[in-house]
Amino acid sequence: MANRLRLFSFALYDAGETILGALVFSTLYPLYITRHIDVKTYSFFYGFAFFLSFVVALQLGRLADKKGWRKRFFTLFSLSVPILCLMLFASFEKPLLNFLLYLVLAVFHQQALVFYNSLLKSFETKGFASGFGVALGYVGSATALIFLAPSLSLPMAFLWVAFIFFSLSLPSLLSLSEPAGKQEIKLLELIKDKGFILTMASMLFLMELAHTMIAMMGVYLREVYGLSQGDIYKTIGFSALGGVFGGLLFGKLTDKLSAKRLFPIGFLLWSVFLLSLYITPKEFLLPLGFFAGLSLAHLWTTSRVFIIERFSGAHVAVRFSFYSLSERIASSLGLVLWSFFLLITGEDYRLSALLMIALPIFGYILYTLSEKK
């Protein structure tokens, strides 16, 4: 019963942070702030904040592994998220200040995820724990987007998100345990590990694409297909169903077959998605959204377990700091690259998205090289 409670608590946190991402990071906030600042400006500063946050995550990860403070830092940054949401509500009439606080929220939220992922090591069935978390996360986000989002608007949405995130994260704060083991590692040792660095680089290319799509999909659907805000919610919400199915499927397959076998499939999934996005008419957006959710679920479910499987040891937090670097650089370079493609194509959103196919292709090349080290 205790193990089931921990598993459910872990999954609830995934639901809370996915709702936060779906309502704030993917839809409501980009649509709001791009009315006050240019889309390219938003993309650049949002990505730049993620890049800077790696320095903090790396140092805290080293300290957490040395002292056994992974749970402590997880709790600290998780509690900061609803507080910052309340501050966003209070500063809504001041867009520049609000945007600055939003960037801080993005950084603190990602810090919490570093230590949340490191707690996955304490589970015996890591694949199912990861996949169930992803699945429940998409259930929450789909429910929020389909039933809650149409009646929500900023700034009141900040209050709802703060309450939902706190409520769903509280069980994890109370029940999850610190993974066993304390170990200090020198950064030079990790940097010299070519297999590890190439693996992280391959994930970087895949996550560049994923995070760019998450951050800009609402704007993409508005600019390319002319969808209303309500239809945008439905499309992104339907993609969450693909996430639910994918989380459960890939979670069980990960425990049965290993993440090492399943993770490389992601390079193919994302390449097919980008090709489909270029040619898909408006009438077939919902099936494509389902496929996007399936691809995201595969990435989130297998990648964090893959890190634990391939690079065992007590320094799990510092390795997830490098994992977060892939996410942060992805959130930086991916969005900067997206802005560059928009610039050279004359803001042709459809063509810019197709050009992003270079990312999973190069990612697979690096992954193949990492297997030889």
Side-chain angles (χ1 to χ4, degrees):
M1 178 61 75
N3 289 334
R4 291 181 180 180
L5 177 61
R6 291 175 59 246
L7 178 64
F8 190 61
S9 297
F10 187 85
L12 282 178
Y13 188 91
D14 231 327
E17 75 90 10
T18 306
I19 290 173
L20 171 67
L23 290 180
V24 176
F25 292 119
S26 293
T27 52
L28 287 176
Y29 200 84
L31 293 174
Y32 152 73
I33 200 63
T34 51
R35 294 191 180 98
H36 299 279
I37 63 176
D38 184 72
V39 172
K40 294 184 290 293
T41 302
Y42 162 73
S43 299
F44 177 80
F45 282 102
Y46 182 58
F48 187 67
F50 275 79
F51 178 74
L52 291 179
S53 72
F54 166 67
V55 177
V56 177
L58 182 58
Q59 297 304 320
L60 291 181
R62 292 176 61 195
L63 182 61
D65 284 331
K66 180 180 179 180
K67 300 289 187 180
W69 288 354
R70 306 171 191 94
K71 173 68 180 294
R72 183 177 302 185
F73 285 133
F74 165 67
T75 302
L76 174 64
F77 286 108
S78 294
L79 290 176
S80 71
V81 169
I83 294 174
L84 283 165
C85 286
L86 295 178
M87 295 175 68
L88 286 171
F89 171 79
S91 62
F92 184 73
E93 298 300 328
K94 301 177 180 179
L96 292 181
L97 174 61
N98 194 265
F99 184 49
L100 178 61
L101 289 171
Y102 173 75
L103 297 179
V104 175
L105 171 64
V107 172
F108 277 44
H109 170 239
Q110 291 299 312
Q111 300 297 317
L113 287 181
V114 169
F115 298 104
Y116 168 71
N117 288 330
S118 71
L119 298 182
L120 182 62
K121 188 180 180 183
S122 63
F123 290 91
E124 292 185 6
T125 54
K126 298 175 179 60
F128 184 72
S130 181
F132 183 49
V134 170
L136 195 59
Y138 278 109
V139 169
S141 64
T143 302
L145 286 170
I146 295 175
F147 299 105
L148 185 58
S151 61
L152 280 181
S153 61
L154 295 178
M156 287 301 299
F158 290 130
L159 297 182
W160 279 101
V161 170
F163 173 75
I164 292 171
F165 184 87
F166 178 75
S167 300
L168 295 179
S169 64
L170 187 59
S172 289
L173 302 181
L174 297 176
S175 66
L176 295 185
S177 58
E178 174 72 26
K182 299 178 183 179
Q183 184 178 358
E184 185 175 12
I185 186 171
K186 296 181 180 179
L187 296 181
L188 188 59
E189 294 179 16
L190 287 180
I191 294 174
K192 289 182 177 179
D193 186 345
K194 293 182 179 180
F196 177 71
I197 296 301
L198 286 172
T199 298
M200 292 296 97
S202 70
M203 287 187 177
L204 163 63
F205 280 94
L206 207 55
M207 290 180 176
E208 279 181 1
L209 179 56
H211 280 280
T212 302
M213 292 297 102
I214 290 173
M216 302 306 299
M217 187 51 66
V219 177
Y220 182 91
L221 293 174
R222 181 186 67 188
E223 297 296 327
V224 174
Y225 293 100
L227 297 188
S228 65
Q229 188 162 312
D231 288 334
I232 291 173
Y233 293 147
K234 291 179 181 178
T235 302
I236 298 179
F238 193 78
S239 72
L241 297 179
V244 173
F245 178 77
L248 296 175
L249 173 65
F250 293 121
K252 290 189 175 183
L253 288 177
T254 296
D255 285 329
K256 185 175 182 179
L257 302 176
S258 82
K260 294 180 182 179
R261 294 181 179 179
L262 289 179
F263 173 73
I265 297 175
F267 299 106
L268 175 62
L269 290 176
W270 282 103
S271 298
V272 173
F273 169 74
L274 286 175
L275 289 171
S276 301
L277 185 64
Y278 184 76
I279 63 176
T280 298
K282 185 176 182 180
E283 294 76 17
F284 292 94
L285 276 178
L286 290 183
L288 184 62
F290 184 89
F291 184 73
L294 187 75
S295 302
L296 283 169
H298 171 272
L299 177 60
W300 307 142
T301 299
T302 62
S303 60
R304 52 188 179 183
V305 181
F306 179 68
I307 294 297
I308 297 174
E309 280 185 5
R310 186 170 181 184
F311 308 103
S312 60
H315 36 76
V316 60
V318 73
R319 290 200 184 268
F320 272 114
S321 296
F322 275 85
Y323 178 81
S324 76
L325 172 62
S326 295
E327 292 189 308
R328 283 161 176 75
I329 294 181
S331 299
S332 302
L333 295 184
L335 289 168
V336 170
L337 184 62
W338 172 258
S339 298
F340 175 71
F341 285 154
L342 285 175
L343 181 64
I344 65 174
T345 62
E347 298 197 359
D348 186 331
Y349 282 77
R350 192 185 293 270
L351 179 58
S352 297
L354 180 62
L355 292 175
M356 299 288 280
I357 199 172
L359 302 180
I361 293 175
F362 281 114
Y364 181 71
I365 293 173
L366 292 176
Y367 175 80
T368 301
L369 293 174
S370 74
E371 289 291 286
K372 299 178 181 179
K373 300 299 180 180

